[in-house]
Amino acid sequence: MNGRLYVRGEDGYEAARVGRVFNARRPDRYPAAVLLAADAGDVAAGVRLAAERGWTVAVRSGGHSWAAWSLHDDALLIDLGRLDGLGYDPDTRVATAGPAVPGGLRLAPFLAGLGRAFPGGHCPRVGLGGYLLQGGQGWNGRSVGWACESVAAVDVVTAGGEHVRADAEHNADLYWAARGAGPGFPAVVTRFHLDTQPAAGRMWHDTWTFAPGDAAAVLAWLHELLPGLDRRVEPVLAATRLPAVPLDEGKDHPGTALLLHTTVMAVADDEAARLLGPFDAGPPGARALGHARGRTTIEAENRAQAEQNPDGHRYAVDCTWSDAPAAVLAPELSRLWSELDTPHSFSIWYGWAPHRPLPDMALTVEANVYLATYAIYTDPADDERYRTWVHERTAALARHGAGVYLGDTDFTRRQDRFLSDAAYARLQRVRDHWDPDGRIASYLCHDPKALNAHG
Ligand SMILES: Cc1cc2nc3c(=O)[nH]c(=O)nc-3n(C[C@H](O)[C@H](O)[C@H](O)COP(=O)(O)OP(=O)(O)OC[C@H]3O[C@@H](n4cnc5c(N)ncnc54)[C@H](O)[C@@H]3O)c2cc1C
């Protein structure tokens, strides 16, 4: 083995257990050992070792799962942090990336140098492993689709310790599961093969600031605009307490601001300005506190995301998809947004508006708008309060919901539907086939029998 194994109780075990977990709220779950794998051979050796010892296998790529899915009691945690290689084939325009590669921080600049792009996460440090397996909401997602739709193939180590490639022609059931099963994927991905796109010419933003009292008017306007927006236009309404929002002279920050931040990818400036035309007039019946529009870049947007999600903080997160009209959502969202009470906590309405059937892949739940809330704080004494708040308020919204996106969930507190019933049944068959002994740890949840039941 080229990597390093830390058995529980050994020096270095605790750093290996949680040192790469982004959320400072580290759960009390203790793997039997942690293997810092150096290469795919180590992953296979690790899977075989786990079988000998009777451990399950848990996996970590970028460590950005809010709920620290990589931490399972009595498992062998295989940390893939060193599997971070990048490659590109100019003939096929397919990039290869190790699962620990951060999509924004490393893949995006690597591809930009080649005039190519891939929809990495909005936050630059998210690891490709967890991000792509669960779907991946990235820049320009409304136009290019879920990031996992651009996964051409995966190299995996199976639960039996074999090296296998899965794509549309080979091991197609595993390839199907690799695009949406998230932590239920029954193997370990050691390399992704990614279809790339031409780099966009121009990115623009259009940013309006409103007071929270205008939530109903702004939401009504957005729900009206959304169906007619070009797919390259991505509107996000965020309730945020951060001070850096556009404010006209003489206007004060309202404490919690509603920031309508829309981005667009276009070939040139005039096209970007034209695509943002529907936002020119602003919402009828609401008074903007500030407005800014102009060029931006993915790097600048990534920086803003990283500032909103600082290191060293504790996070409690939940989400729901919804097809409900603005008038139904506005009272619940207004209540939730009025209760944000830490500098970084925020909550978003994201206009997704699915417009076509999804390809044949495990990811099968999406809806008109995406609603997610992020409680961000520093005191461990607040854990219970913020976790209860986030999941209770999201549960209220989810009464009008269509399910969740795995990326912003914590099923140890609130479970909801994340796959269609047919996809969930099919995933069980794929798991039974590829991992009959249940070697690879699956979804962390408080009620396994109610997994994928609508909350
Ligand atoms: C600050 C922040 C911003 C975020 N922004 C976005 C965003 O813009 N868009 C979005 O879609 N999501 C976003 N997320 C959610 C994020 O994509 C998920 O939490 C994702 O699981 C993180 O992937 P990871 O590899 O970093 O996480 P990890 O914690 O390393 O992995 C999570 C789990 O995924 C599975 N897994 C990971 N890698 C592998 C592998 N190689 N083989 C098999 N199973 C594996 C394992 O079950 C693992 O425990 C964000 C999260 C954070 C913390």
Side-chain angles (χ1 to χ4, degrees):
M1 227 187 253
N2 299 315
R4 174 81 162 83
L5 185 74
Y6 293 92
V7 176
R8 188 172 178 187
E10 250 178 41
D11 278 357
Y13 167 86
E14 188 56 11
R17 183 181 81 94
V18 293
R20 289 204 320 113
V21 172
F22 173 79
N23 193 342
R25 179 172 58 79
R26 273 79 191 256
D28 288 336
R29 295 190 296 266
Y30 292 88
V34 183
L35 171 61
L36 306 186
D39 50 37
D42 278 357
V43 177
V47 170
R48 286 195 292 268
L49 176 72
E52 275 165 37
R53 304 276 173 97
W55 298 330
T56 54
V57 170
V59 183
R60 175 180 299 149
S61 286
H64 272 60
S65 152
W66 303 109
W69 287 329
S70 54
L71 292 176
H72 285 253
D73 284 327
D74 306 323
L76 174 66
L77 164 56
I78 304 185
D79 188 311
L80 306 172
R82 287 168 66 185
L83 276 70
D84 63 352
L86 281 169
Y88 180 71
D89 180 341
D91 295 331
T92 59
R93 293 174 174 158
V94 169
T96 51
V101 169
L105 215 54
R106 287 208 39 234
L107 179 63
F110 171 76
L111 290 177
L114 300 159
R116 308 294 295 172
F118 183 83
H122 297 118
C123 176
R125 290 163 301 179
V126 169
L128 287 178
Y131 171 78
L132 289 175
L133 284 169
Q134 77 204 2
Q137 288 177 336
W139 296 110
N140 208 14
R142 271 171 41 90
S143 172
V144 298
W146 288 93
C148 69
E149 293 180 55
S150 298
V151 172
V154 285
D155 294 339
V156 309
V157 168
T158 65
E162 305 296 324
H163 298 271
V164 157
R165 178 160 301 178
D167 59 25
E169 267 92 48
H170 312 94
N171 305 307
D173 54 347
L174 213 46
Y175 176 61
W176 173 87
R179 292 166 299 145
F185 184 64
V188 184
V189 178
T190 54
R191 187 187 287 127
F192 290 94
H193 300 254
L194 306 171
D195 288 329
T196 62
Q197 292 115 28
R202 280 275 171 258
M203 187 175 192
W204 272 44
H205 79 99
D206 177 69
T207 309
W208 294 83
T209 309
F210 299 99
D214 280 331
V218 177
L219 285 165
W221 177 62
L222 284 174
H223 277 243
E224 208 178 297
L225 285 187
L226 187 58
L229 292 179
D230 188 279
R231 299 302 304 178
R232 291 167 288 174
V233 176
E234 295 204 290
V236 176
L237 180 63
T240 175
R241 296 177 64 78
L242 292 185
V245 298
L247 285 174
D248 294 341
E249 220 175 298
K251 296 281 168 56
D252 293 326
H253 193 291
T256 295
L258 299 188
L259 195 68
L260 173 57
H261 184 67
T262 303
T263 50
V264 60
M265 301 279 195
V267 289
D269 287 328
D270 56 346
E271 187 187 45
R274 182 175 57 76
L275 292 172
L276 290 170
F279 295 88
D280 283 347
R287 279 188 311 127
L289 302 176
H291 181 220
R293 178 181 289 181
R295 282 187 189 174
T296 184
T297 59
I298 289 190
E299 296 73 42
E301 297 296 325
N302 277 343
R303 270 197 303 280
Q305 292 287 327
E307 274 161 32
Q308 183 81 66
N309 296 281
D311 280 336
H313 284 58
R314 308 173 85 82
Y315 290 77
V317 172
D318 203 353
C319 67
T320 184
W321 287 109
S322 187
D323 286 318
V328 171
L329 297 178
E332 301 283 4
L333 285 173
S334 295
R335 177 182 183 196
L336 196 164
W337 293 346
S338 72
E339 292 169 346
L340 294 173
D341 65 354
T342 73
H344 282 93
S345 293
F346 69 106
S347 174
I348 59 165
W349 171 106
Y350 177 9
W352 184 251
H355 66 124
R356 64 192 165 107
L358 289 168
D360 185 30
M361 60 183 188
L363 192 146
T364 32
V365 170
E366 55 178 12
N368 189 42
V369 298
Y370 182 65
L371 308 167
T373 301
Y374 309 80
I376 307 176
Y377 54 97
T378 50
D379 188 346
D382 288 332
D383 281 343
E384 190 48 40
R385 183 159 68 90
Y386 282 120
R387 295 186 79 190
T388 301
W389 174 75
V390 144
H391 297 297
E392 279 186 7
R393 290 292 174 271
T394 309
L397 277 166
R399 283 187 287 125
H400 320 287
V404 290
Y405 169 47
L406 277 171
D408 286 331
T409 55
D410 181 351
F411 291 162
T412 66
R413 288 300 285 259
R414 192 183 81 82
Q415 296 180 199
D416 204 340
R417 173 178 180 264
F418 54 96
L419 298 179
S420 70
D421 291 345
Y424 187 66
R426 184 169 165 188
L427 178 62
Q428 299 317 306
R429 294 196 294 277
V430 178
R431 287 185 58 84
D432 289 346
H433 176 74
W434 285 95
D435 186 13
D437 299 328
R439 179 70 48 215
I440 312 289
S442 185
Y443 302 101
L444 263 173
C445 60
H446 67 80
D447 182 2
K449 284 196 216 71
L451 203 60
N452 206 48
H454 198 2

